[in-house]
Amino acid sequence: MKNPESSPAASIPDVFDPTCSSRHALELIAGKWPMLIISALENGPMRNAALMRRLGDISQKMLTQTLKELERNGLVIREDMRTVPPHVEYSLSPVGRSLSETLLVLDRWAETHFGALDAARERYDTERRK
Amino acid sequence: MKNPESSPAASIPDVFDPTCSSRHALELIAGKWPMLIISALENGPMRNAALMRRLGDISQKMLTQTLKELERNGLVIREDMRTVPPHVEYSLSPVGRSLSETLLVLDRWAETHFGALDAARERYDTERRK
DNA sequence: ACAATTACGCACCTTTTGGTAACTATGAAA
DNA sequence: TTTCATAGTTACCAAAAGGTGCGTAATTGT
């Protein structure tokens, strides 16, 4: 029998292993927009224009691009109604929904603690006169 | 009395508001390394070299830089023992610890679902012959 | 004939992020 | 006197992220 130390980490996923796919999963949502888009889709399908309005300051390019990445990874489902003018709806897949639930926790964390962060930053900056 | 619509969102934080600090809080951890560093510090203080080993493929520059940002925002505490050779310990502040707990949920999500993501990606790519 | 609609592709550019390699400080030990 | 150890810093460069503006498709209403 081999000890766990010698096993080249095939079974137990580890976010700290650079070659592990779980790292990839984290990097997928590490950008500026993915988390917000997933959160925005929480309450049901949305169209391109509605998402742009909701996200406030995203560019058309980044929205399309990010949605495509999320679709590619199976988090978002793109439904093209094939009408003219175009009507496309984006929604969360089951996996996407499971992610949105943990992101909700993160959103709440941000809304709870941003004040503390702001204060700390100001303290830090004034202390070192930057 | 004014209706809620006209109030310029001073009290209720909203991650979707680009001018809201809670967005800033999210962007702070949206990079490649912040989440991993916070997670790495979960089990107590660590020194520079230990963090480098734990994170595997981070550069010295990014480690220092990211730690400094996290310290600036009050998530990480930097303790310099003022010895020679240098001995500096990084640890989580209370706010940092509260974040690390929600990130743990995210790590677990990644470790649970990365297989589904990999599969979806492969399907997507082969379907469109990219 | 043509204007409007909606999602999006593409070309071009700027900004941000990240990596490499070389250099620094300082006291203890060799 | 030289070496070692540790946690940096800096200058320089490459790559990725992101923004702007313009073009396109195809049907409906004017």
Side-chain angles (χ1 to χ4, degrees):
Chain A
M1 46 206 84
K2 50 187 180 178
N3 68 34
E5 229 66 53
S6 67
S7 160
S11 46
I12 35 158
D14 173 15
V15 275
F16 294 112
D17 179 356
T19 68
C20 177
S21 297
S22 69
R23 263 280 279 272
H24 189 98
L26 279 188
E27 282 172 15
L28 178 64
I29 58 167
K32 188 178 179 182
W33 299 113
M35 292 202 289
L36 288 172
I37 292 183
I38 301 266
S39 292
L41 290 175
E42 225 155 34
N43 304 312
M46 293 185 84
R47 305 178 57 175
N48 179 43
L51 279 167
M52 298 233 22
R53 254 177 281 119
R54 185 75 171 116
L55 299 223
D57 60 343
I58 194 175
S59 66
Q60 174 66 60
K61 177 188 161 190
M62 284 316 296
L63 180 55
T64 308
Q65 188 175 302
T66 309
L67 281 170
K68 197 181 287 179
E69 259 312 284
L70 294 176
E71 188 202 358
R72 185 163 96 102
N73 286 270
L75 298 173
V76 159
I77 294 166
R78 178 182 184 277
E79 191 179 1
D80 189 338
M81 309 309 188
R82 328 197 109 276
T83 62
V84 168
H87 182 136
V88 177
E89 296 206 338
Y90 295 95
S91 57
L92 292 179
S93 73
V95 184
R97 202 159 7 257
S98 82
L99 174 56
S100 87
E101 277 158 31
T102 96
L103 287 189
L104 233 165
V105 183
L106 223 136
D107 287 351
R108 270 200 295 270
W109 179 88
E111 290 169 355
T112 305
H113 295 286
F114 74 90
L117 300 199
D118 287 352
R121 212 175 324 120
E122 192 151 346
R123 238 180 300 123
Y124 186 98
D125 288 348
T126 53
E127 263 173 24
R128 353 232 142 173
R129 273 290 139 252
K130 270 273 181 73
Chain B
M1 45 204 82
K2 50 187 179 178
N3 68 33
E5 229 65 52
S6 68
S7 161
S11 46
I12 35 156
D14 173 16
V15 273
F16 294 112
D17 179 356
T19 67
C20 177
S21 296
S22 69
R23 263 279 282 272
H24 189 98
L26 280 189
E27 283 172 14
L28 179 63
I29 58 167
K32 187 177 179 181
W33 299 113
M35 292 202 290
L36 287 171
I37 293 183
I38 300 266
S39 291
L41 291 175
E42 225 156 34
N43 303 313
M46 292 185 86
R47 306 178 57 176
N48 180 51
L51 279 168
M52 298 234 18
R53 252 176 283 118
R54 185 73 171 116
L55 300 216
D57 61 343
I58 194 175
S59 66
Q60 174 65 60
K61 176 189 159 189
M62 285 314 297
L63 180 56
T64 309
Q65 189 175 301
T66 309
L67 281 169
K68 199 181 285 179
E69 259 312 283
L70 294 175
E71 188 202 359
R72 184 165 96 103
N73 286 270
L75 297 173
V76 158
I77 294 167
R78 177 181 186 277
E79 190 179 3
D80 188 339
M81 308 309 190
R82 329 198 108 275
T83 61
V84 167
H87 182 136
V88 177
E89 295 205 338
Y90 294 96
S91 57
L92 292 178
S93 73
V95 184
R97 198 153 16 252
S98 82
L99 174 57
S100 87
E101 279 158 28
T102 98
L103 288 189
L104 232 165
V105 183
L106 222 132
D107 287 351
R108 269 199 295 269
W109 178 89
E111 289 170 355
T112 305
H113 296 285
F114 73 92
L117 300 199
D118 287 352
R121 210 177 324 118
E122 191 151 345
R123 237 179 301 124
Y124 186 99
D125 288 349
T126 53
E127 263 173 26
R128 352 235 143 173
R129 274 288 140 252
K130 270 269 183 72

